[in-house]
Amino acid sequence: QVQLVESGGGLVQAGGSLRLSCAGSGSTFSINAMGWYRQAPGKQHELVASISSGGSLSYADYADSVKGRFTISNDNAKNTVHLQMNSLKPEDTAVYYCYARSMITDTTYWGQGTQVTVSS
């Protein structure tokens, strides 16, 4: 089992920045990808950013809506993933969920979610 704990959400004005963090614990040796989804009221669940690791290489991917504004990074030694969010917009308001994916066990683990609110 893998446990994920998120932090860093909050309220910010449009144009501001927030940094989300997600720390994994437990059987993290099998995790090969982590990332963030978000869920806004009345909207579809959206994959915001993901980062996958293979050996010493990492590959990041982003939703078109956040490219150029958000940056995902990971610290494999600490089993932590971060999401730096800059130039925030009101439409970024959502609950952000961290996930971790194990291809070995074909399992996806989820954090509890953290609220991000961007005021106009």
Side-chain angles (χ1 to χ4, degrees):
Q1 289 292 321
V2 173
Q3 296 77 41
L4 301 173
V5 178
E6 300 143 340
S7 60
L11 172 65
V12 65
Q13 288 189 330
S17 298
L18 283 174
R19 186 174 189 244
L20 305 183
S21 296
C22 175
S25 62
S27 302
T28 58
F29 63 91
S30 67
I31 298 301
N32 63 294
M34 297 183 75
W36 298 86
Y37 275 82
R38 66 186 179 186
Q39 178 82 62
K43 294 187 177 181
Q44 295 272 8
H45 211 198
E46 178 185 25
L47 176 60
V48 177
S50 63
I51 188 163
S52 56
S53 300
S56 61
L57 300 177
S58 294
Y59 176 77
D61 198 13
Y62 300 91
D64 288 343
S65 58
V66 307
K67 281 181 180 177
R69 300 188 297 122
F70 290 11
T71 302
I72 190 169
S73 61
N74 63 348
D75 183 341
N76 288 332
K78 297 182 179 180
N79 301 308
T80 301
V81 64
H82 306 285
L83 185 67
Q84 178 65 43
M85 305 185 294
N86 298 328
S87 302
L88 283 161
K89 305 175 180 179
E91 51 263 44
D92 293 318
T93 296
V95 178
Y96 284 69
Y97 296 91
C98 172
Y99 77 91
R101 176 76 180 166
S102 168
M103 289 187 63
I104 295 174
T105 62
D106 192 26
T107 305
T108 300
Y109 303 93
W110 295 94
Q112 78 282 3
T114 185
Q115 177 71 46
V116 171
T117 303
V118 184
S119 62
S120 57

